[in-house]
Amino acid sequence: MISDTEKTVQRIEQTLLGVIARQGLFLSGSRVIAACSGGADSMALLLFLLRNAERLQITVQAAHVNHGLRGAAADADAAFVAEFCRQHGVLLHTLDAAKAGIPIPPHASENWARELRYTWFDRLAQENDAVIATAHTMSDQAETMLFRMARGTGLHGLTGMAPQRGCYRRPFLCLRRADTESYCAALGQRYVQDETNAEDFYARNRIRHDAVPALEYANPAALQAMSRLSEQLRTLDVWLEELADTLLQQAAVPGGYDAAKLAAAPEPVVKTALHKLVSPTRDAEEKYLALLYGALLQGSGGVQLTGDTLWRVENGTLFLQPAAPAMPLPAPAQPFRLGKFCLPGGYTVVFEAVKYENFLNNPTFSKKDLNCCADCDRILSYTVLRTRQPGDFFQPAGRCRKTLKKYYNENKVPQPQRALLPLLAKGSEVVWLWGSGFAEGYTPTVHTQTVLTVRAEKE
C-alpha cells in the first residue's frame, strides 16, 4: 500500500513531468543547470531533476550565488548547497560576489542582486551550452503579477514569468510554494531558511505576507486563478506581437518607420510594436510607451530612453537617434510565416511554399538545391524566425547535433555576425540556419507534397 508521503511525491512528479513534456522544456541530451539557493523551492527543483534525469534524458548541474549581503548566514547557505552537491555527485558552479571582487552597494536592492545573478546565469549558460532551470512557483508568479501591476505595468508585464524564455526554464510554475515544502518533507530533504524573507523591508515580501493571504482569504484558489490569467494574457500577448510584427514590417521605411501608418493602427497593436522597439534598450515601462505613442499621434516629439538613446518622430518618420549605431540590434523574434523578411545587418530572407513536383521539374534544379528546401508540413507549426539564443542546438544534415555556439566556432563565423544571422527555430532546436540550410530530418521525402524554399541574400 502506498503511503501518504509516496503519494505526495508521485503526485508532484507526475504533474511536473506532464508539464515539462507538454511545454517541451528540456530536450533530450540537454545540460540543465539548476539555480539553487538552498531554500525549499530550489532544493525541491534540484532533487526532482536528479531523481528524473534519466527519464528526461538530461545532465544535471547546479549553480549557487552568494551575493555577499547576509554575512555568515549566506556563507552557511553556500556550504549547505555545496555539501548536498558533493554527496550527490553534482557539479556545482558558484559565484561569491565578495571573493570575486564585485563592488557591493551599502544598501543593495533586490534589483541589484537580481541583475548580478542573471548576468552570471546568462554567461554560465553560454559558456556551458546549457539551460538554466529556476524554481519559480505559482506563488512567485502571483507576487510578480501583483508587484508589476502596482508599478503600472502594461499587458506584456502582466503575463508574468514565462515557462520558457531564452536559456531559462521554469518547470515549477504549476506548483505552489507549499508543494515544494511538502515534496522536500516527503523525501526527507532539509533546506535552509533565508531570514530576510520574514522581513517586510522589501516590497515583494510585503506582497507575500499581506496581499497574497488577503486574496486567498477571498478565494482559496486565488493563486490558480492568477496562474490561469497569466496564461491567457500570454496567449493574447503573442497574438498582439504577431500583429505588431506585421505592422512594423508594413511601416518600415529607410531609416525608421512611417509614423502615420503606425498611428493609424489600433492602439494595443501600436503599443506592442513600440514595446518591441524600446525593450532592447531598456525596460519598456508603460510611461515610455505612452510618451512615444503620444508623439506618434501628435506627429512630432521624442522620448529619451538612455543618455545616448532617443526615439524621435520627425518629418513623418519614427526613428532612433542616432539612426545608425555601430552594430544594428538583432530583429525581435517573430512567428514564422511565408513571405519576405528584411532584417538588420542587410539580411533578406524569402520563404515560399512550392509543390514538390514542380520544384523537382524546374529546369534549373540541381541536387544542391535540396539543402535550401524542406518538407513544408514539418516547418510551419511552432516555428520562430529569430537570431541566436543561449542554449540553441543545430544538427546539420548528415552530421552530428551540437550547440550552435560550437557550430559557429568550428565554421569560424565572425563574432560580430553571429548576433544578426537569421535562423528558424522550434524552441532551442534550430531547423534552418543562414548559410547552412535545413537541419537533419527536414529533407523532403517521397511522401512530401509541398516544400518550403528559402532565398537568402545580404546587401
Side-chain angles (χ1 to χ4, degrees):
M1 185 175 178
I2 301 177
S3 66
D4 289 342
T5 55
E6 289 174 322
K7 287 180 181 178
T8 297
V9 172
Q10 190 177 75
R11 172 182 61 82
I12 290 174
E13 292 192 344
Q14 286 179 349
T15 298
L16 290 170
L17 289 170
V19 166
I20 289 169
R22 287 193 301 274
Q23 297 177 344
L25 296 186
F26 302 127
L27 296 174
S28 175
S30 295
R31 180 181 292 115
V32 180
I33 301 178
C36 186
S37 66
D41 296 345
S42 63
M43 290 307 299
L45 172 65
L46 183 52
L47 204 55
F48 165 77
L49 292 175
L50 290 173
R51 285 171 53 85
N52 293 276
E54 187 173 348
R55 181 180 300 184
L56 294 170
Q57 297 183 312
I58 59 174
T59 302
V60 180
Q61 299 177 5
H64 178 81
V65 179
N66 185 341
H67 302 90
L69 302 178
R70 297 168 44 242
D75 294 338
D77 292 351
F80 172 80
V81 174
E83 179 59 19
F84 175 91
C85 291
R86 187 192 66 77
Q87 291 179 2
H88 291 79
V90 178
L91 176 63
L92 175 64
H93 305 270
T94 59
L95 173 65
D96 187 310
K99 291 180 180 178
I102 297 172
I104 301 172
H107 303 288
S109 66
E110 280 187 297
N111 285 340
W112 175 86
R114 186 183 186 281
E115 183 69 21
L116 174 68
R117 277 198 303 280
Y118 279 91
T119 298
W120 183 60
F121 287 157
D122 287 343
R123 188 170 71 248
L124 201 60
Q126 188 169 11
E127 291 175 351
N128 292 274
D129 298 322
V131 295
I132 306 293
T134 68
H136 292 106
T137 64
M138 190 185 298
S139 307
D140 295 306
Q141 185 75 290
E143 293 163 13
T144 297
M145 293 174 70
L146 291 171
F147 184 68
R148 291 179 180 178
M149 189 187 303
R151 293 182 62 190
T153 189
L155 171 64
H156 185 77
L158 269 183
T159 61
M161 296 177 285
Q164 183 172 171
R165 180 185 62 81
C167 64
Y168 294 96
R169 306 292 183 269
R170 300 184 178 97
F172 273 26
L173 289 177
C174 60
L175 301 180
R176 296 160 60 101
R177 188 166 291 124
D179 292 321
T180 65
E181 294 172 353
S182 297
Y183 186 74
C184 287
L187 292 171
Q189 176 58 54
R190 296 188 304 111
Y191 51 86
V192 299
Q193 296 278 7
D194 183 343
E195 69 280 1
T196 62
N197 287 336
E199 300 172 355
D200 281 343
F201 179 74
Y202 294 118
R204 187 178 290 270
N205 284 4
R206 292 194 292 274
I207 291 173
R208 178 179 303 168
H209 299 153
D210 300 326
V212 172
L215 291 174
E216 290 183 309
Y217 179 79
N219 175 16
L223 296 187
Q224 289 89 332
M226 293 186 71
S227 180
R228 286 195 304 272
L229 176 61
S230 170
E231 293 174 5
Q232 292 164 356
L233 291 176
R234 192 172 300 115
T235 300
L236 177 60
D237 192 46
V238 169
W239 176 67
L240 282 173
E241 285 192 348
E242 291 175 358
L243 295 178
D245 289 330
T246 300
L247 175 61
L248 288 174
Q249 289 183 27
Q250 292 174 344
V253 295
Y257 300 91
D258 186 316
K261 281 187 178 180
L262 292 178
E267 181 177 345
V269 181
V270 182
K271 285 192 172 180
T272 303
L274 296 178
H275 186 282
K276 285 178 170 288
L277 298 179
V278 170
S279 56
T281 304
R282 66 168 303 146
D283 287 343
E285 297 178 28
E286 187 68 17
K287 63 181 179 181
Y288 295 111
L289 302 184
L291 288 170
L292 198 50
Y293 183 61
L296 273 178
L297 296 181
Q298 185 175 314
S300 64
V303 178
Q304 193 85 41
L305 297 178
T306 66
D308 56 0
T309 305
L310 170 67
W311 278 99
R312 178 176 291 281
V313 180
E314 191 175 283
N315 298 325
T317 303
L318 170 67
F319 61 95
L320 180 64
Q321 183 179 326
M327 177 60 69
L329 295 170
Q334 51 193 301
F336 166 73
R337 57 177 175 73
L338 299 176
K340 181 178 180 180
F341 295 84
C342 298
L343 304 171
Y347 295 94
T348 301
V349 188
V350 181
F351 298 104
E352 296 178 326
V354 181
K355 287 188 176 180
Y356 192 30
E357 181 181 357
N358 296 344
F359 178 80
L360 294 175
N361 292 333
N362 190 311
T364 62
F365 170 78
S366 64
K367 285 190 175 181
K368 69 178 182 179
D369 293 329
L370 289 173
N371 194 42
C372 298
C373 75
D375 189 315
C376 206
D377 291 337
R378 296 208 58 201
I379 297 292
L380 291 179
S381 59
Y382 307 111
T383 305
V384 173
L385 175 65
R386 59 172 174 80
T387 54
R388 68 172 184 177
Q389 290 181 355
D392 280 344
F393 285 84
F394 180 54
Q395 182 173 0
R399 295 167 62 184
C400 296
R401 179 176 180 266
K402 58 190 68 179
T403 65
L404 185 57
K405 176 185 176 182
K406 185 174 182 180
Y407 181 79
Y408 279 157
N409 288 342
E410 290 177 350
N411 288 273
K412 297 180 170 57
V413 178
Q415 286 286 349
Q417 293 181 16
R418 299 183 186 187
L420 298 174
L421 289 178
L423 57 85
L424 291 177
K426 291 187 177 183
S428 295
E429 287 292 328
V430 176
V431 301
W432 173 82
L433 182 63
W434 176 280
S436 302
F438 286 94
E440 178 70 23
Y442 291 91
T443 305
T445 68
V446 292
H447 303 292
T448 299
Q449 297 182 352
T450 305
V451 293
L452 175 69
T453 63
V454 184
R455 285 189 292 113
E457 301 173 356
K458 188 177 187 305
E459 295 178 1

